[in-house]
Amino acid sequence: MKVTDHIKNAKKTLFSFEILPPLKGKSIESIYEGIDNLLEFDPKFIDVTYHRQEYVYKKHANGLLEKVSVRKRPGTVGICAAIKNKYNIDTVPHLICGGFTRDETENALIDLHFLGIHNVLLLRGDAIKTEKDFVPNPNGHNYALDLVKQVVNMNAGVYMDDDLVDVAHTNFCAGVAGYPEKHFEAPNFESDLKYLKAKVDAGADYIVTQLFFDNSKYFAFVDKCRAAGINVPIIPGLKPLTTKSQVKVLPSIFNIDIPFDLTEAINKCKDDKEAKIVGVEWGAAQAAELIKHNVPCLHFYTMGKGESTHNIAKLVY
Ligand code: FAD
């Protein structure tokens, strides 16, 4: 079922979460264990992130360096199909522009369509470590907006090769990312909102937000979206704090603020064990307030660590 249909049919705020594919060479069992721990909260969909190929320099015995490409976390489409098959829960693979030609994207969408996966989260992706700024594939997309247009075209039966006749129409429900505290590259909030609206006007069906720790930022974001004429569901993204150091690293990675009270509480913690408890308390308070405001769904970024998400969900569902 489409994410938007789950939302339409819901009588209360839904629960969903996002997982990362395991590192190359690792088994899928750890993914299943994480999902098993969260099944009691009846997740209506599970997102699986996509991780781009990176380049690393490998040192040989003779001292020479070789530039090799590595995909540390392959398998997004396969994991989505495996989860859907094992649990009969809808999955949402993340698709990114970076590293893909338009043809490769089309083929990935055809695979998903054949697998019966009809939800996708469409993203641009970030610059790889060896690039300063995001560089699209020469035959790929520049912005998530272009990916939305490609998906909408395929839903209308328009493929890259216009010689194709009697083609199957895909039936994708397309989610896109939104940033309550602005995307880090956007010169200002208003231009970021303009491009978010362009994604929705092009056919995106719903928005999932970047993580945030201050609900007032989410509420203000929703108000500004509505005022701008963005009327699709806006799903809040939540990440429980699990270590002391995250107070320092998350703001620069995700371009977000950590509220003063949360920072103070974390700084008082002796170790990560205590920080995790504070993270759950804060996350549960955030989740309870969001549920009170009838948000469509709480979407948790578990980052492979479902324990805190489980503890928060236990307190609010
Ligand atoms: P876009 O919507 O393309 O926007 C990128 C920037 O360009 C913004 O500053 C925007 O304001 C601007 N912009 C947009 N359109 C235009 C235009 N036409 N002209 C000029 N400027 C424009 N990354 C991954 O690699 N894998 C994942 O699985 C993944 N999952 C994510 C899930 C969520 C919910 C979120 C919030 C992010 C995720 N990301 C993921 C990170 C994401 O790829 C980065 O944040 C990326 O930098 C931006 O992606 P976007 O889709 O928001 O880009």
Side-chain angles (χ1 to χ4, degrees):
M1 202 193 277
K2 292 181 174 186
V3 165
T4 44
D5 288 334
H6 282 298
I7 292 172
K8 261 183 229 143
N9 295 343
K11 301 215 166 25
K12 57 177 190 162
T13 297
L14 301 175
F15 169 77
S16 68
F17 60 94
E18 172 177 310
I19 56 173
L20 279 62
L23 287 164
K24 192 181 240 176
K26 299 287 176 201
S27 110
I28 197 170
E29 288 310 317
S30 63
I31 297 287
Y32 291 153
E33 276 165 32
I35 295 173
D36 289 342
N37 285 335
L38 296 171
L39 283 181
E40 67 185 277
F41 308 112
D42 192 21
K44 293 296 181 210
F45 57 94
I46 299 173
D47 278 49
V48 183
T49 55
Y50 186 87
H51 298 261
R52 222 183 132 176
Q53 186 160 289
E54 293 277 345
Y55 291 94
V56 293
Y57 287 92
K58 211 170 175 176
K59 195 168 186 179
H60 290 287
N62 61 6
L64 287 178
L65 291 175
E66 186 193 2
K67 189 179 175 187
V68 289
S69 66
V70 284
R71 284 268 321 276
K72 286 187 183 155
R73 293 179 185 273
T76 300
V77 171
I79 292 168
C80 283
I83 293 172
K84 197 166 163 18
N85 188 40
K86 184 174 163 74
Y87 296 98
N88 197 23
I89 295 176
D90 284 307
T91 46
V92 186
H94 291 190
L95 288 189
I96 62 170
C97 305
F100 282 96
T101 64
R102 291 172 168 82
D103 271 321
E104 286 164 343
T105 298
E106 183 171 276
N107 292 337
L109 289 163
I110 290 170
D111 284 347
L112 291 169
H113 180 62
F114 289 161
L115 287 164
I117 294 171
H118 301 301
N119 292 292
V120 280
L121 191 75
L122 304 174
L123 304 142
R124 189 198 67 183
D126 283 319
I128 52 175
K129 287 190 189 86
T130 45
E131 291 167 355
K132 197 171 138 290
D133 299 310
F134 173 80
V135 179
N137 184 298
N139 295 311
H141 294 306
N142 261 307
Y143 296 107
L145 170 64
D146 307 312
L147 209 43
V148 174
K149 288 180 182 164
Q150 185 170 14
V151 168
V152 168
N153 274 341
M154 285 178 73
N155 282 351
V158 179
Y159 286 63
M160 299 282 300
D161 179 351
D162 50 20
D163 288 340
L164 295 178
V165 286
D166 198 17
V167 291
H169 290 218
T170 57
N171 184 27
F172 288 109
C173 171
V176 291
Y179 301 83
E181 296 175 68
K182 184 182 92 62
H183 182 256
F184 72 100
E185 289 167 24
N188 50 61
F189 182 83
E190 287 68 25
S191 68
D192 207 23
L193 189 64
K194 171 179 139 183
Y195 293 122
L196 176 60
K197 182 165 184 329
K199 291 190 280 192
V200 174
D201 288 347
D205 297 292
Y206 69 99
I207 296 165
V208 184
T209 76
Q210 181 60 280
L211 55 98
F212 57 90
F213 291 95
D214 178 351
N215 285 352
S216 69
K217 301 254 166 91
Y218 167 82
F219 296 134
F221 176 65
V222 174
D223 286 348
K224 285 179 187 160
C225 286
R226 300 303 181 225
I230 296 173
N231 293 314
V232 295
I234 302 177
I235 299 176
L238 297 176
K239 179 191 154 28
L241 271 184
T242 51
T243 64
K244 283 189 69 148
S245 62
Q246 283 173 345
V247 164
K248 288 206 181 94
V249 297
L250 293 184
S252 59
I253 298 176
F254 296 109
N255 193 45
I256 52 158
D257 277 354
I258 310 255
F260 180 72
D261 289 352
L262 177 57
T263 313
E264 290 285 279
I266 292 282
N267 286 342
K268 280 188 198 135
C269 295
K270 275 203 307 290
D271 51 25
D272 285 347
K273 208 170 150 203
E274 282 187 16
K276 213 181 227 181
I277 295 169
V278 171
V280 167
E281 284 167 1
W282 189 275
Q286 263 195 288
E289 188 184 26
L290 290 164
I291 289 174
K292 221 165 129 190
H293 278 75
N294 288 323
V295 299
C297 179
L298 296 180
H299 186 69
F300 286 90
Y301 298 108
T302 65
M303 313 265 184
K305 298 180 183 73
E307 188 194 338
S308 292
T309 298
H310 180 275
N311 293 342
I312 292 173
K314 196 90 193 153
L315 290 167
V316 296
Y317 279 101

